[in-house]
Amino acid sequence: MNELTFEDFSKLKKEEQLNKLKEEYKNNKTNEGELKICNLLAVHQLSKKQLNLIFQADRMFFSTNVRKFLDICEEKFNNDLPITFSQNEIKDISVISLLGSVVEINASEDMLVEYLNLVILEWARNKFEELRTVPTTESALERMNSMIKAIEGTVSSTKYYNISDDIMSMFEYYDNATKVMKSGIKSFDDWFLLEPTDVLLLGGQSGTGKTAFSLQLVDGLVNNGNRGIFFSLEMNNIQMYRRLIAMKGSINISKLMTSESFSNLSKTEYNKFNEAVGKIKTYGDRLVMCYEAQSLMDIISITKKENSKKKLDFIVVDYVQLVSHKAASEVQRITEISLELKRLAKELGIVVIGLSQLSRKKTDGTDMTALKGSSQLENDASQILILKSEFEDEEEQDTDDLKSIVANVNKNRNGRVGKYRMMFNKPMQKFIDTEGRK
């Protein structure tokens, strides 16, 4: 954190002027994006990538005082100096006032691109306000065209770097313990390395426990400190909570189906029920459940809204083929859904876990070409895991409660492909590891 605080400057002779300017900054809501960016520069230790992104932004979109501050920071950056400030270093009273304001603001490094885009939006909004005073339509159109040209090719979410600088990010990658998401399911974690921007597709025919597996996966991710959203397009909240409670409490799900069966729980089972509910409550805001989103736009807007509140690590879509989206054909619909979910993963730096139906035309059902709807699904996925019952005949199962499931790892960007086995305890809605890699 920098040495500079507003208190450092409160003893200046121009204290009254300083306080006045400070209040102007605080009350000027149109400068929110600028102030957030200045806060990041003043009180955060930004990476070279982040600093490059700020300094590449066109200064025309920033107010005069912020431009001065950016110039000072960029000069330090270009000279390989830390972006810190001593009390007597800055002489411009307006920049001093700006710094005194921004140290009190909360800003997140993860939102840098959004702040930069907000600066442009605020600039455009002010320009549109100016258009109201333009006397003729021709003049207004001319100014509008100038605005469009000014915005084109400026700050966006597209980042670019000189490789001589960017190659050093490898040290940051290892030094900062880059987030690798662990599920707590040993067999899964042995095979998969989930990282931000990954798209994991989980496929399987009906009855192989796709939703149960995804809930167990989410439980592990959340317990390991990750935050996400579960979009359930097939089940309501009660149906989902039954499965979660059965899994967390090791309670036969059949006893949670009705009020009558619930009233017949033994004392031990009832205690397990309460313990399971208590464990689920500890998720806090790390897991958001959504049952009403149906369209692709719903999923995208809700995800972005939650991410703006607090950084997300993953979302689950159960399941992809149920997402509504207007398109000329079914193949095109799934193609566009797949492309947009991949784009969302990259834009927000999250893992997207999509559950997928399999095409009944594929008799084997273990190949990734069996994913229903479009080959774009397999193209966009970083990892593909397809669950299949080991025995086609239910009578060949080991017991009535346990089902042997073969997990087919058909695509794995960060590892190997192959298969492993698990047992699915259907009454308890839980998968049990039986072996590691094969």
Side-chain angles (χ1 to χ4, degrees), residues 205 358-370 386-389 392 408 410 419:
Q205 296 288 13
L358 300 184
S359 173
R360 294 187 181 276
K361 295 179 181 179
K362 306 287 184 179
T363 55
D364 180 53
T366 60
D367 192 281
M368 59 185 175
T369 59
I386 295 181
L387 306 180
K388 181 176 172 58
S389 176
E392 296 297 333
N408 297 275
N410 293 318
K419 61 184 178 181

Side-chain angles (χ1 to χ4, degrees), residues 371-401:
L371 296 171
K372 188 176 181 181
S374 169
S375 59
Q376 191 65 41
L377 289 170
E378 61 192 80
N379 292 334
D380 291 332
S382 312
Q383 299 93 0
I384 297 177
L385 178 64
I386 295 181
L387 306 180
K388 181 176 172 58
S389 176
E390 185 172 11
F391 306 107
E392 296 297 333
D393 189 343
E394 290 292 333
E395 293 181 359
E396 295 183 40
Q397 296 294 322
D398 295 335
T399 69
D400 292 336
D401 292 342

Side-chain angles (χ1 to χ4, degrees), residues 316-328:
V316 179
V317 180
D318 182 14
Y319 48 89
V320 172
Q321 284 78 11
L322 281 180
V323 177
S324 63
H325 180 66
K326 289 184 179 181

Side-chain angles (χ1 to χ4, degrees), residues 297-313:
M297 289 307 299
D298 286 340
I299 291 172
I300 292 173
S301 62
I302 291 170
T303 301
K304 289 186 175 181
K305 182 178 179 181
E306 279 299 315
N307 190 68
S308 69
K309 292 179 184 177
K310 187 176 180 181
K311 182 71 176 73
L312 289 171
D313 298 297

Side-chain angles (χ1 to χ4, degrees), residues 403-415:
K403 190 172 188 177
S404 182
I405 299 293
V406 178
N408 297 275
V409 182
N410 293 318
K411 184 177 181 181
N412 194 1
R413 186 175 66 183
N414 296 321

